Amino acid sequence: MNRPTPPRLGVHLAGDGVDVAVLAPHATRLDLCLFDDTGSPQSERRVRLDGPRYGLFTAHVPGVGAGQRYGLRADGPWDPVHGQRYNPAKLLVDPYARGLVGTLGYGPATYGHTVDAQLRGDVFGPADPRDSAGQVPHGVVVGAVPGPDPATNRPWTSWSRTVVYEAHVVGLTRLAPFVPPELRGTYAGLAHPRVIEHLLRLGVTAVELLPIHANASEPQLAARGLANYWGYSTLGFFAPHAAYATAAARDAGAAYVLAEVRTMVHALHDAGLEVLLDVVYNHTAEGGPGGQHLSWRGLDNALYYADDGNVPATYADVTGTGNTLDFRRAEVVRLTLDSLRYWADTVGVDGFRFDLAVTLGRGVDGFSPDHPTLVGAATDPSLHGLKLIAEPWDVGPGGWRTGEFGLPFAEWNDRFRDSARSFWLADPARAAHGLPGHRVRELATRLAGSVDLFGAGNPPLVRGPEASVNYVTAHDGFTLADLVAYDHKHNQANGEHNRDGATENKSWNHGVEGPVPADSPAVDIVPLRRRSIRNLFATLVLSAGTPMIVAGDEMGRTQQGNNNAYCQDNEVSWVSWPRGSAWRADLLATATYLLQLRRDHPALRTERFYTGAPLASGLPDLAWYDPTGAVFDHARWHDPALRTFQMVRTAGSARDIVLVVLNGALHPEDVVLADTDGDPWLLVWDSVWEHPDEQREAAIGGALHVAGGAKVTLEALSMRVYVTR
């Protein structure tokens, strides 16, 4: 006996055809539009769906199989003053489509309201009658997907051992000489054995991919001949971005594009690497009220997008993109959770980084960490144990919420970024001009895991320092190499007259803006720039918390001073692999060595916030010392002249003890090493070293083994790491 089942949103194979369910509560009619394999508008066949019932239009359509191209058309009131924008002339993308084919056009026909050739028009004016079927991507019915199941071999890496590597699918391999040309810049290229070898040798454990949901570029970028390279402009929350697949997969169809993504994830899992996705649920590619008419706007503009409650209706934009999905609506929450489950269960990813995550937690009274979206993600069985990372801000009222997301969320820690940059770059730059900088207490707090941000809760201290995703750079901003070479942004190539991107970067060019030629009189600053890179990288990976590295930073990648390369799908953004560059090879060796130190020493990977209380070994888990070797007191923390300090971290009964000494002064500093009444200290790293092999040279000179209480001299702007022998 056939029993009725609740409809699943989207288009799914069922028996002799497909079951269709589309949410469009205020529509009066909804058609499923079927196209032949060429996608020709002339081949369109329309099937009227039943409804709406409980806001849904549904039907079983026989004779439709896997690979079928389709779209939707919704009819209803055209009343933009009150937020309704139904226009049946516009073909709409199914929000639940598992595959998309075709590219988005930018002509007037893609707009729901009437616009001229320059795309200008009255957003509250009449509906545009031109058919858009030939200018928008089509959904594809996806059936069985070939290849292995990546949900079966997850590495399940603990947070304490996690090191995140933020990368772009295209940018990571587009210039990789060891990847076959046909695989460069693709999902398959990212899973190439040589790429995996690099990631494993470096010591990262999770690859966090910039958005791979199907996305589209903004019209203003297309008009300038540019594209939204980063992909933060979603057109489909279930379909992978087909342009990142190999030509062979695209030619074979949407199921093979999805198979390539799944095979990539499975291969990374086999190597012990987790895959995290940067996901953008806070807004869509449709832009502001004057934007294109592509999907959600045509199905139910008033339901999907947050508005300000005024008449005429305008959007409440807390994302800075023109629109904001309305998380006061259960339907938007459901869309988000359905998408997350799909990528977890079907694609097998290991976690998500939520772009502008505060937007996802906004209800009628503003942000709440107990918002249904966040509670749903935290409790959904499909997401159990996966890594959930919040970007804890948006641009709306009260938008900065770092530290306010509960378990199991971790969060990007912008305070770590700012304090590390200030200590090593902005403060020395000010000191060079006789100006004061920040006190060391801010950096010390970040080194110790940012308990001030992440220690709150009920009970307190339950999240642990791993909730702090520490970073010095991200896709948005200067690269690590550019932080030490530019005081100012250089974004002219973006076509926005250098007005875009952050103005305050806490960077320092060390006296000369940009590259320094070998024959320049300023060539002496180049070694100091390299040391500053090493200082920043070491501060990142040796701090308590979860470090995040940006692809290419370990090899000195530059964006030529562009701190907002979102539209640069070219050599500006792509990772350049070192070939014949001695300093970049040295930097890679240093990054690899520092991550090995992190793995080797439990004291550098604490799972609990420090208390300063004695452990079983009798030593405190954390202690601070000034340059004289004296324990810090309250007054010392507030000394504006102090730029040199020591941190001793101890790991439980293992008696693993690590001493980190930092000198942020512009001159060498004598330091009396902390005396823990234990074994002598062994110097394992000095940021003065261009390459870790210099440790062996120091050993020959007998400079590695030092007793506690001995005096050593740290070079200006340098740091050292000692361990017990």
Coordinates of all heavy atoms in Angstrom, one line a residue, residues 232 280-284 287-288 305-306 315-327 355-360 362 391 393-397:
Y232 N 31.3 35.2 -2.3 CA 30.3 35.5 -1.2 C 29.1 36.1 -1.8 O 28.7 37.2 -1.5 CB 31.0 36.4 -0.2 CG 32.0 35.8 0.6 CD1 33.3 35.7 0.2 CD2 31.7 35.2 1.8 CE1 34.3 35.1 1.0 CE2 32.6 34.6 2.6 CZ 34.0 34.5 2.2 OH 34.9 33.9 2.9
V280 N 27.6 31.1 3.2 CA 27.0 32.4 3.2 C 25.5 32.3 3.2 O 24.9 32.3 2.2 CB 27.5 33.2 2.0 CG1 27.1 34.7 2.1 CG2 29.1 33.1 1.9
Y281 N 24.9 32.2 4.4 CA 23.5 32.1 4.5 C 22.8 33.5 4.9 O 21.6 33.6 5.0 CB 23.1 31.1 5.6 CG 23.5 29.7 5.2 CD1 24.5 29.0 5.9 CD2 22.8 29.0 4.2 CE1 24.8 27.7 5.6 CE2 23.2 27.7 3.9 CZ 24.2 27.1 4.6 OH 24.5 25.8 4.3
N282 N 23.6 34.5 5.1 CA 23.1 35.8 5.5 C 22.5 36.6 4.4 O 21.7 37.5 4.7 CB 24.2 36.5 6.3 CG 25.4 36.8 5.4 OD1 25.4 37.7 4.6 ND2 26.4 36.0 5.6
H283 N 22.9 36.4 3.2 CA 22.4 37.2 2.0 C 22.5 36.3 0.8 O 23.0 35.2 0.8 CB 23.1 38.5 1.9 CG 24.5 38.4 1.3 ND1 25.6 38.0 2.1 CD2 24.9 38.6 0.0 CE1 26.6 38.0 1.3 NE2 26.3 38.3 0.1
T284 N 22.0 36.9 -0.3 CA 22.0 36.1 -1.6 C 22.6 37.0 -2.7 O 22.8 38.2 -2.5 CB 20.6 35.7 -2.0 OG1 19.9 36.8 -2.5 CG2 19.9 35.0 -0.9
G287 N 21.1 40.9 -4.5 CA 21.4 42.3 -4.2 C 20.2 43.0 -3.6 O 19.3 42.4 -3.0
G288 N 20.3 44.3 -3.6 CA 19.3 45.2 -3.0 C 18.0 45.2 -3.8 O 17.8 44.4 -4.8
Y305 N 13.3 38.0 2.6 CA 14.2 39.1 2.9 C 13.7 40.0 4.0 O 12.5 40.3 4.0 CB 14.4 39.9 1.6 CG 15.2 39.2 0.5 CD1 14.6 39.0 -0.7 CD2 16.5 38.7 0.8 CE1 15.3 38.3 -1.7 CE2 17.2 38.1 -0.2 CZ 16.6 37.9 -1.4 OH 17.3 37.2 -2.4
A306 N 14.6 40.3 4.9 CA 14.2 41.2 6.0 C 13.9 42.6 5.5 O 14.7 43.1 4.7 CB 15.3 41.2 7.0
Y315 N 14.5 47.1 2.2 CA 15.2 46.0 2.9 C 15.9 46.6 4.2 O 16.4 47.7 4.2 CB 16.3 45.4 2.0 CG 15.8 44.5 0.9 CD1 16.6 44.1 -0.1 CD2 14.4 44.1 0.9 CE1 16.1 43.2 -1.1 CE2 14.0 43.2 -0.1 CZ 14.8 42.8 -1.1 OH 14.4 42.0 -2.1
A316 N 16.0 45.7 5.2 CA 16.8 46.0 6.4 C 18.1 45.3 6.1 O 18.2 44.0 6.2 CB 16.1 45.4 7.6
D317 N 19.1 46.0 5.7 CA 20.4 45.4 5.3 C 21.4 45.5 6.4 O 22.0 46.5 6.8 CB 20.9 46.2 4.1 CG 22.2 45.7 3.6 OD1 22.6 44.6 4.0 OD2 22.9 46.4 2.8
V318 N 21.7 44.3 7.1 CA 22.7 44.3 8.1 C 23.9 43.5 7.6 O 24.8 43.2 8.4 CB 22.2 43.6 9.4 CG1 21.0 44.4 9.9 CG2 21.8 42.1 9.2
T319 N 24.0 43.3 6.3 CA 25.1 42.5 5.8 C 26.0 43.4 4.9 O 27.1 43.0 4.6 CB 24.7 41.4 4.9 OG1 23.9 41.9 3.7 CG2 23.7 40.4 5.7
G320 N 25.5 44.6 4.5 CA 26.3 45.5 3.7 C 26.3 45.1 2.2 O 27.0 45.6 1.4
T321 N 25.4 44.1 1.8 CA 25.4 43.6 0.5 C 24.1 44.1 -0.3 O 23.9 43.7 -1.5 CB 25.4 42.1 0.5 OG1 24.2 41.6 1.1 CG2 26.6 41.6 1.2
G322 N 23.2 44.7 0.4 CA 21.9 45.1 -0.2 C 20.7 44.4 0.3 O 19.6 44.9 0.3
N323 N 20.9 43.1 0.6 CA 19.8 42.3 1.2 C 20.3 41.5 2.4 O 21.5 41.2 2.5 CB 19.2 41.4 0.1 CG 20.0 40.3 -0.4 OD1 20.4 39.4 0.4 ND2 20.4 40.2 -1.6
T324 N 19.3 41.0 3.2 CA 19.6 40.2 4.3 C 18.4 39.1 4.4 O 17.3 39.5 4.4 CB 19.6 41.0 5.6 OG1 20.6 42.0 5.5 CG2 19.8 40.1 6.8
L325 N 18.8 37.9 4.4 CA 17.8 36.9 4.6 C 17.2 37.0 6.0 O 17.9 37.3 7.0 CB 18.4 35.5 4.4 CG 18.6 35.1 2.9 CD1 19.3 33.8 2.8 CD2 17.3 35.0 2.2
D326 N 15.9 36.8 6.1 CA 15.1 37.1 7.3 C 15.0 35.9 8.3 O 14.2 35.0 8.1 CB 13.7 37.6 7.0 CG 13.0 38.2 8.2 OD1 13.5 38.1 9.3 OD2 11.9 38.8 7.9
F327 N 15.9 35.9 9.3 CA 16.0 34.7 10.2 C 14.9 34.8 11.3 O 15.0 34.1 12.2 CB 17.4 34.5 10.7 CG 18.3 33.9 9.7 CD1 19.0 34.7 8.8 CD2 18.4 32.5 9.6 CE1 19.8 34.1 7.8 CE2 19.2 31.9 8.7 CZ 19.9 32.7 7.8
D355 N 29.6 32.8 7.6 CA 29.9 34.2 7.2 C 28.9 35.1 7.9 O 27.7 34.8 7.9 CB 29.8 34.4 5.7 CG 30.1 35.8 5.3 OD1 31.2 36.3 5.4 OD2 29.2 36.5 4.8
L356 N 29.3 36.2 8.5 CA 28.4 37.2 9.2 C 27.4 36.4 10.1 O 26.2 36.6 9.9 CB 27.7 38.1 8.2 CG 28.7 39.0 7.4 CD1 27.8 39.9 6.5 CD2 29.6 39.8 8.2
A357 N 27.9 35.6 11.0 CA 27.0 34.7 11.7 C 26.0 35.4 12.6 O 25.0 34.8 13.0 CB 27.8 33.7 12.5
V358 N 26.3 36.6 13.0 CA 25.3 37.3 13.8 C 24.0 37.5 13.1 O 22.9 37.4 13.8 CB 25.9 38.7 14.2 CG1 24.9 39.6 14.9 CG2 27.1 38.5 15.2
T359 N 24.0 37.6 11.8 CA 22.8 37.7 11.1 C 21.9 36.5 11.2 O 20.7 36.6 11.3 CB 23.1 38.0 9.6 OG1 23.8 39.2 9.4 CG2 21.8 38.1 8.7
L360 N 22.5 35.3 11.3 CA 21.8 34.1 11.5 C 21.1 34.0 12.8 O 20.2 33.1 13.0 CB 22.7 32.9 11.3 CG 23.1 32.5 9.8 CD1 23.8 33.6 9.1 CD2 23.9 31.2 9.8
R362 N 19.7 36.7 14.4 CA 18.9 37.9 14.6 C 17.4 37.5 14.6 O 16.9 37.0 13.6 CB 19.2 39.0 13.6 CG 20.5 39.7 13.8 CD 20.6 40.9 12.9 NE 21.9 41.6 13.1 CZ 22.1 42.6 14.0 NH1 21.1 43.0 14.7 NH2 23.2 43.2 14.1
E391 N 31.7 33.6 12.2 CA 32.3 35.0 12.1 C 31.4 35.9 12.9 O 30.2 36.2 12.5 CB 32.3 35.4 10.7 CG 32.9 36.8 10.5 CD 32.9 37.3 9.1 OE1 31.9 37.0 8.4 OE2 33.8 38.0 8.6
W393 N 30.2 38.7 13.8 CA 29.7 40.0 13.6 C 29.0 40.2 12.4 O 29.0 39.3 11.5 CB 31.0 41.0 13.6 CG 32.1 40.6 12.7 CD1 32.1 40.7 11.3 CD2 33.3 39.9 13.1 NE1 33.3 40.2 10.8 CE2 34.0 39.7 11.9 CE3 33.9 39.5 14.3 CZ2 35.3 39.1 11.9 CZ3 35.1 38.9 14.3 CH2 35.8 38.8 13.1
D394 N 28.2 41.3 12.2 CA 27.7 41.8 11.0 C 27.7 43.3 11.1 O 28.3 43.8 12.0 CB 26.3 41.2 10.6 CG 25.2 41.6 11.6 OD1 25.4 42.5 12.4 OD2 24.1 41.0 11.6
V395 N 27.1 44.0 10.1 CA 27.2 45.5 10.1 C 26.0 46.1 10.7 O 25.8 47.3 10.6 CB 27.5 46.0 8.7 CG1 28.8 45.4 8.2 CG2 26.4 45.7 7.7
G396 N 25.1 45.3 11.3 CA 23.9 45.9 11.8 C 24.1 46.4 13.2 O 25.2 46.3 13.8
P397 N 23.0 46.9 13.8 CA 23.1 47.4 15.2 C 23.5 46.3 16.2 O 23.0 45.2 16.1 CB 21.7 47.9 15.5 CG 21.0 48.1 14.2 CD 21.7 47.1 13.3

